[in-house]
Amino acid sequence: MWTISPIGRFGNQMGQYATLFALARLNRKQAYIFPTMANYLSQNFKITLPTLTQEIAAKIPWKKYQLSDWMQEKHKKISGDYIKFSGYPVSWTFYHHIREEITREFSFHELIAKEANLYLWNIAAQHQNVTYIGVHVRRGDYVHVMPHVWKGVIGDKSYLEQAMSYFRNKHKNALFIVVSNGIKWCRKNIDASKGDVYFSGDGNEAKPQRDFAILAHCNHTIMTVGTFGFWAAYLAGGEVIYLSNFTLQNSPFLKVFKYEAFFLPEWIGIAADLSPLLVKIP
């Protein structure tokens, strides 16, 4: 009986679920999840791992196991019948070898999928042969945390223009669906004058399900930073453009993060402008 302590928000818990699922499969153990994770993820997805009640969990002699942030050789043979994992596994290296099963676990409930598709179809009614590009712009606390704590940047206006130009040059009728927890910033900094940009959602981080479903039903993805954007891109498939090298080389963030273990090899990276970090932050 293996489980994982749920922590963090939407993208983090998806990563924890997928990692638990894959490691239990690899080590031939039965995985269970706690009710909090089940309630959180089952609002969107047809997850299949059984739920472990708190009453039963309290009686089990758990062996605690701190996970690395990416797959390591030691994870292939984990000993113990009652393992409780912890940590923030954020890497495709844990589960990408069973991608079809993972995406099946994160298949949407019919009503959610229908609503997301209906939203996109209503936009497409004004165009022909549409290619949807989901654009996730992570802002919120990262506006301050990334430069002040992690010595990094988040997606700026220039990066988004470069990424959107890539898809405009490749697809004649590309439509950009922008989702963000800083939608006001997006409306101010993303040029919508061409008529191919639509700002979606209200950025309510407490209820991210609708925004996430819309992104995941697009054909391709532009992401900035964060696990929410990663999972939307992972489920959507297609081409993905991401913000690469968004931290200084001495960033403490790199102790828990590897670019090559987070972004898939086939995804397309655009280097960030790190010049704002070279100016002393008050």
Side-chain angles (χ1 to χ4, degrees):
M1 184 179 287
W2 284 11
T3 191
I4 191 166
S5 298
I7 191 170
R9 293 184 291 189
F10 203 68
N12 290 123
Q13 293 206 29
M14 289 182 70
Q16 291 161 359
Y17 183 100
T19 300
L20 171 65
F21 187 98
L23 288 180
R25 173 69 57 83
L26 182 63
N27 289 273
R28 298 182 179 181
K29 302 294 183 180
Q30 175 61 55
Y32 291 80
I33 57 175
F34 284 104
T36 50
M37 178 177 284
N39 293 338
Y40 197 27
L41 296 181
S42 65
Q43 293 179 49
N44 249 28
F45 309 118
K46 302 176 183 178
I47 54 176
T48 64
L49 289 183
T51 302
L52 184 66
T53 66
Q54 295 290 356
E55 183 180 4
I56 294 176
K59 299 177 181 179
I60 295 174
W62 296 108
K63 176 183 176 182
K64 296 183 179 180
Y65 189 105
Q66 178 71 31
L67 285 171
S68 303
D69 292 282
W70 46 83
M71 185 65 178
Q72 297 188 28
E73 192 66 27
K74 63 182 181 180
H75 296 327
K76 295 180 180 179
K77 293 183 179 180
I78 301 173
S79 61
D81 291 330
Y82 301 101
I83 299 290
K84 182 190 286 186
F85 294 112
S86 61
Y88 288 92
V90 294
S91 175
W92 59 268
T93 57
F94 284 107
Y95 45 77
H96 193 58
H97 60 289
I98 53 170
R99 179 171 185 164
E100 288 188 10
E101 291 182 71
I102 296 301
T103 54
R104 193 179 306 127
E105 288 294 309
F106 294 139
S107 58
F108 291 89
H109 294 301
E110 283 76 7
L111 180 60
I112 293 174
K114 183 178 179 180
E115 289 178 348
N117 281 322
L118 183 60
Y119 173 82
L120 296 174
W121 289 336
N122 286 337
I123 292 175
Q126 307 169 43
H127 307 270
Q128 290 183 340
N129 301 319
V130 167
T131 299
Y132 297 106
I133 316 298
V135 183
H136 179 248
V137 183
R138 175 73 157 87
R139 292 189 62 78
D141 58 338
Y142 267 33
V143 172
H144 301 287
V145 171
M146 191 54 76
H148 289 272
V149 178
W150 298 124
K151 296 182 180 180
V153 297
I154 56 178
D156 60 10
K157 181 178 180 179
S158 176
Y159 162 71
L160 293 170
E161 287 176 350
Q162 291 180 67
M164 294 169 74
S165 292
Y166 171 85
F167 284 115
R168 283 191 177 113
N169 292 332
K170 191 164 186 178
H171 300 283
K172 183 178 179 181
N173 290 310
L175 294 182
F176 299 90
I177 314 300
V178 180
V179 168
S180 176
N181 58 349
I183 203 69
K184 290 183 179 179
W185 181 92
C186 293
R187 290 181 183 276
K188 183 178 179 180
N189 289 275
I190 296 177
D191 182 8
S193 63
K194 295 180 176 65
D196 59 358
V197 176
Y198 292 82
F199 298 98
S200 173
D202 56 8
N204 185 352
E205 294 181 86
K207 296 181 179 180
Q209 290 83 0
R210 179 181 178 275
D211 288 356
F212 185 85
I214 289 172
L215 288 173
H217 281 82
C218 289
N219 302 109
H220 307 289
T221 307
I222 296 170
M223 62 174 291
T224 51
V225 293
T227 55
F228 188 94
F230 167 85
W231 277 108
Y234 194 81
L235 295 187
E239 286 191 292
V240 179
I241 293 183
Y242 66 92
L243 185 68
S244 65
N245 302 322
F246 55 83
T247 61
L248 296 177
Q249 292 184 348
N250 63 343
S251 167
F253 191 63
L254 298 181
K255 294 180 180 180
V256 296
F257 181 88
K258 283 184 179 181
Y259 289 101
E260 66 273 21
F262 187 77
F263 303 110
L264 270 65
E266 64 268 27
W267 290 2
I268 303 166
I270 295 179
D273 175 12
L274 299 178
S275 61
L277 299 173
L278 304 179
V279 179
K280 187 175 181 181
I281 301 173

